[in-house]
C-alpha cells in the first residue's frame, strides 16, 4: 500500500526535530536536506517545514543536461548522482520551490530524497518518524482522503497539492484557508 508524505503546515512548532533526523538518514552525509523557515520572524513564532515535494514531472530533472537527477520507481526525485552532476546549477534555478541546494566544495546538488533507503521499504522518512506535532506524517491515500474530509467538515478550506506551480506531487501539503487564492500570485 503506497504511502505519501503529508504536511499540515499549521501544526509546525519550530522544534526542528525533522532537521536533526534528516542528517541521520543513510546517504545524507549528515547534511540537512529539508528546511524550517520562520514565516514572520519579527511578528510571531510561526514556522514552516519545507522539503522537496517530489513532483511527478520535476523541473529540476528536466533542466539537468547531464541527466544526473533520477526519479525512483516510487516517485521520489533523488539528489544528483555524483558521477553525472556537472555543477551547472540548472536544477537550483529551475525548481519553483527553491529546494535543490548546491555544495560548492563538492560541486554537487543535494536535496531531499524522501529517505529513499527507508521509504522504498514502506518505512517513514526520518523527518516524519520524529515529528512531535504531526506536521509531517506518512499516510496512505485513504488516510489523506479522511483528513481532507475532516477539514471540510470543520468548514476550513485546504488544498492538498500545489498544482499551480509544478503539477501533481508525491508529497501532499495542507495549506490553511488564509493562503487560499495565493495560487493567483504565481
Amino acid at each position: 500500500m503506497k504511502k505519501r508524505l503529508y504536511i499540515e503546515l499549521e501544526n509546525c512548532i519550530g522544534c526542528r526535530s525533522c532537521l536533526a533526523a534528516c542528517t541521520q538518514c543513510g546517504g545524507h552525509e549528515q547534511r540537512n536536506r529539508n528546511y524550517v523557515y520562520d514565516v514572520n520572524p519579527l511578528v510571531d513564532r510561526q514556522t514552516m517545514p519545507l522539503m522537496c515535494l517530489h513532483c511527478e514531472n520535476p523541473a529540476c530533472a528536466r533542466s539537468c543536461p547531464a541527466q544526473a537527477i533520477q526519479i525512483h520507481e516510487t516517485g521520489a526525485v533523488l539528489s544528483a548522482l555524483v558521477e553525472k552532476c556537472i555543477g551547472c546549477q540548472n536544477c537550483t534555478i529551475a525548481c519553483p520551490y527553491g529546494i535543490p541546494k548546491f555544495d560548492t566544495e563538492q560541486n554537487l546538488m543535494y536535496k531531499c530524497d524522501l529517505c529513499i533507503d527507508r521509504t522504498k521499504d514502506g518505512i517513514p522518512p526520518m523527518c516524519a518518524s520524529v515529528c512531535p506535532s504531526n506536521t509531517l506524517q506518512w499516510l496512505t491515500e485513504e488516510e489523506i482522503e479522511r483528513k481532507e474530509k475532516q477539514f471540510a467538515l470543520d468548514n476550513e478550506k485546504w488544498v492538498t497539492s500545489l498544482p499551480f506551480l509544478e503539477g501533481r506531487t508525491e508529497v501532499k501539503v495542507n495549506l490553511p484557508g488564509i493562503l487560499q487564492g495565493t495560487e493567483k500570485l504565481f
Side-chain angles (χ1 to χ4, degrees):
M1 186 174 304
K2 183 174 177 161
K3 291 192 171 191
R4 294 176 185 249
L5 184 61
Y6 179 80
I7 305 172
E8 286 186 35
L9 291 177
E10 282 192 340
N11 292 351
C12 186
I13 58 173
C15 70
R16 291 169 170 76
S17 294
C18 55
L19 300 182
C22 183
T23 63
Q24 300 304 308
C25 190
H28 286 190
E29 299 87 32
Q30 297 188 352
R31 177 182 311 184
N32 285 334
R33 293 178 181 225
N34 56 13
Y35 316 96
V36 175
Y37 289 103
D38 294 315
V39 177
N40 293 311
L42 300 174
V43 178
D44 57 35
R45 293 185 165 191
Q46 181 63 50
T47 53
M48 176 179 83
L50 186 62
M51 57 266 309
C52 182
L53 297 180
H54 300 277
C55 306
E56 285 185 2
N57 187 19
C60 61
R62 290 192 321 262
S63 69
C64 181
Q67 297 179 336
I69 303 168
Q70 302 294 308
I71 301 169
H72 191 268
E73 63 190 32
T74 62
V77 181
L78 307 176
S79 282
L81 296 170
V82 175
E83 62 276 7
K84 286 189 170 189
C85 183
I86 60 173
C88 69
Q89 300 183 44
N90 284 359
C91 54
T92 61
I93 296 165
C95 176
Y97 306 111
I99 298 300
K101 301 299 180 214
F102 189 76
D103 184 327
T104 54
E105 289 179 15
Q106 293 187 11
N107 199 39
L108 181 68
M109 178 280 283
Y110 64 94
K111 59 174 257 340
C112 166
D113 62 2
L114 206 57
C115 293
I116 195 63
D117 60 326
R118 295 169 56 92
T119 56
K120 68 179 173 51
D121 295 325
I123 302 168
M126 292 294 285
C127 58
S129 68
V130 301
C131 182
S133 64
N134 283 329
T135 300
L136 305 171
Q137 302 169 47
W138 188 241
L139 304 175
T140 64
E141 288 295 330
E142 293 78 26
E143 292 168 321
I144 292 172
E145 286 176 21
R146 279 197 296 275
K147 284 198 169 274
E148 289 174 348
K149 289 177 185 173
Q150 170 193 346
F151 289 121
L153 291 174
D154 290 340
N155 294 321
E156 292 287 333
K157 292 182 180 177
W158 295 78
V159 295
T160 55
S161 67
L162 303 172
F164 50 92
L165 288 180
E166 194 55 29
R168 290 189 43 84
T169 60
E170 286 295 312
V171 175
K172 297 295 184 181
V173 180
N174 262 351
L175 296 173
I178 57 171
L179 295 177
Q180 289 285 321
T182 57
E183 63 270 13
K184 294 175 184 151
L185 300 174
F186 296 94

